[in-house]
Amino acid sequence: MDLGLKDKVALVAASSKGLGYGVAKALAANGAKVSLCSRTESDVAAAARTLADDYGVETLASACDVRVAEDIQAWVDKTVAAWGAIDCLLVNAGGPPAKTLKEVSDDDFQAAFELTLLSSFRMIRLTIPHMAGGGSILTVTSGSVREPITRLGLSTIMRAGVAGMVKTLADELAPDGIRLNNLVPGRIDTDRVAQLDAVTSQKTGMNIDEVQARAKAGIPLGRYGTIDDFGAAGAFLLSPAASYITGATLRVDGGAARSI
């Protein structure tokens, strides 16, 4: 299936590794020009070189802390200067720390707001002026938008805000031909999930193998997902092949969510 991504310009946030890299990889494999960003310049530069070498596409790399408005603006400006209009945006950032809400301080709450909700709003707001011919925006969110996850109260609060923002903007921007959707990862084999498994191990006294075995037992497909599983879904939703999908939330979780 041709996704229609050849020579499309895509911004992919937090894409030096993990979920963001999985989507960047899938976009590059389908011929898109990919502008990657990450806080660590050497990591994102290496990721961009790998995609350019592996898929023969143009890439850009930018050091960007998505908590800083000026960094996002510089990333967008660099991309527009190189390639003109923007067609796709993947909104992505690391998650807040795992804590119960009674452990959360005001500073924790503010930091989570800036990392997860405010950064998403800024990335979208600064990108849409460059989507003159329409475009697609996809947020990487969490299963907590459907059901709270133990010890991830901050994530639940902030990502629920992102989901509400996306649904609102899907209505507001539809007349401009701009689509917005959410992509929900289940247990994808990333550094973030490894950290959460480690926290569970410490709290429960189970070793990592036991933690992972218990998690896999709750997944009908019986395994953690890969970044390629996630990336393929992301590339589809960002592509013209999904031109009649907006305001939607897709789960990539191996069937783990029990809701219909």
Side-chain angles (χ1 to χ4, degrees), residues 134-156:
S136 180
I137 297 169
L138 183 64
T139 74
V140 177
T141 183
S142 164
S144 63
V145 300
R146 300 288 193 185
E147 181 179 358
I149 299 173
T150 302
R151 298 189 59 79
L152 291 182
L154 280 174
S155 177
T156 298

Side-chain angles (χ1 to χ4, degrees), residues 122-231:
R122 283 172 170 163
M123 280 187 263
I124 293 169
R125 186 190 67 204
L126 294 173
T127 298
I128 55 177
H130 304 288
M131 291 182 159
S136 180
I137 297 169
L138 183 64
T139 74
V140 177
T141 183
S142 164
S144 63
V145 300
R146 300 288 193 185
E147 181 179 358
I149 299 173
T150 302
R151 298 189 59 79
L152 291 182
L154 280 174
S155 177
T156 298
I157 292 168
M158 301 305 165
R159 295 192 192 280
V162 172
M165 175 181 66
V166 165
K167 192 65 174 177
T168 301
L169 285 171
D171 290 345
E172 291 182 0
L173 298 178
D176 301 317
I178 298 174
R179 298 182 297 106
L180 294 98
N181 294 290
N182 300 301
L183 194 57
V184 174
R187 299 199 76 78
I188 309 295
D189 190 10
T190 62
D191 289 348
R192 167 72 169 169
V193 168
Q195 291 168 1
L196 294 175
D197 284 346
V199 170
T200 300
S201 175
Q202 292 167 2
K203 293 293 181 181
T204 63
M206 294 189 295
N207 64 44
I208 290 294
D209 289 342
E210 291 171 328
V211 169
Q212 293 179 347
R214 186 174 71 171
K216 291 174 184 177
I219 302 171
L221 289 182
R223 64 176 177 87
Y224 283 10
T226 68
I227 62 168
D228 289 338
D229 294 326
F230 189 82

